[in-house]
Amino acid sequence: MSKQAYTFRLYPTRKQRHRLQETLDRCCKLYNAALTERRDAYTFHVRQHPNYYDEATRKERSRELSINYYEQANQLPAIKAIRDEYQDIHSQVLQDVLRRVQKAFDAFFRRVKNGEEPGYPRYHSRHRYESFTYPQAGFSLTHDSRVCLSKIGSVKVKLHRAIRGTIKTCTIKREGDHWYAVFTCEIEPELLPETDEAVGLDLGLLHFATLSTGETIENPRYFRQAEKKLQTLQQALSRKKRGSKRRKKAVNHLARQHRKVRNQRRDFLHKASRKLVNQYGLIVFEELQPSNMSKRPKPKQDENGAYVPNGAAVKGGLNKSILDAGWATFQQFCTYKAEYAGRRVLFVNPAYTSQICSGCGAIKKKTLDERWHECECGTSLDRDHNSAITILALGRRVQACLRSPAL
């Protein structure tokens, strides 16, 4: 069984919209209160026991010092007795809020253990807490295209496609002035017919992707196309007085335009990944790190300590194009679609893939300006096409190693 999420647009009435916003705000307050309780308990016990960071002391006092999900969940009946407004929220919704706090701390301690940047769980303002979840019960779909939410009512929903599998959870999400219902379902995989066709992809900016077959997927550049309009909306927003109604309208207009760009990009990536998975049994990518590739350059200083040009303006434009392409999301879509369809996606080391000749394997060094690959062996083709063929060859070697029995 695999999981799949279905997102549908909600059309609540004015009264229902007010109830949804109230539920969201109260869940946000509960999240922050639970976070405060854990932070205060952690700070108090560390101060009481200076040797808490020692391994032996931490293991010895771990149960005494920790506050877990179950301890906080047991306080919910008392909270409801004191705060009447929480009686208007389904109990499992409140429990899911406390689970989010638990997951945030679990992820924090995992990062600490792995030596990563910890990122202590932070508070959420009412503008940054944007969803609540019915994890098991409290929701249902009716035949007249409505979703019944406990303590809220029957809300109109646009079911633009059929839901497959068994619905497990329902998440109500706010995006700007729009509301959505996200249903997580358990479904059985639909395996596609087996095929020996394989393809290697070289992701780029001139073309979104160049295939080893010589075909190209063009880069739509949705953010670049909407950049001027976004700039105009951002300038209009900066002129509005904080807290005014006109500023709220400007915020909604800007958010709507950003949402349009995001939806256009995701639609393109979904369609391109679906086409590849339906056609090829093996898809090979470079193991890229877009987050590292789009980092800003470090500042440079001369011998007198004065800052000198470091190419930040040019790099900023390149970073914007990399993030606009959505390479990581595209690879993620291909991976989960291939897993669902019984196909395979492999990732290879990107080192020298643009320099290695696909004909003879020799390293032919080229600058970024050189867009054509020429080799003494007679191989002559587009630089990205050559890289895609090399990536496919590396992927076939990895596949052969995975199939061969362990020595």
Side-chain angles (χ1 to χ4, degrees), residues 253-265:
H253 291 163
L254 181 61
R256 189 179 300 117
Q257 185 61 34
H258 275 292
R259 183 165 58 245
K260 179 180 179 180
V261 173
R262 183 205 62 185
N263 290 340
Q264 287 177 322
R265 184 186 297 115

Side-chain angles (χ1 to χ4, degrees), residues 300-313:
K300 292 182 179 180
Q301 293 177 294
D302 58 15
E303 60 276 4
N304 298 324
Y307 289 98
V308 297
N310 61 344

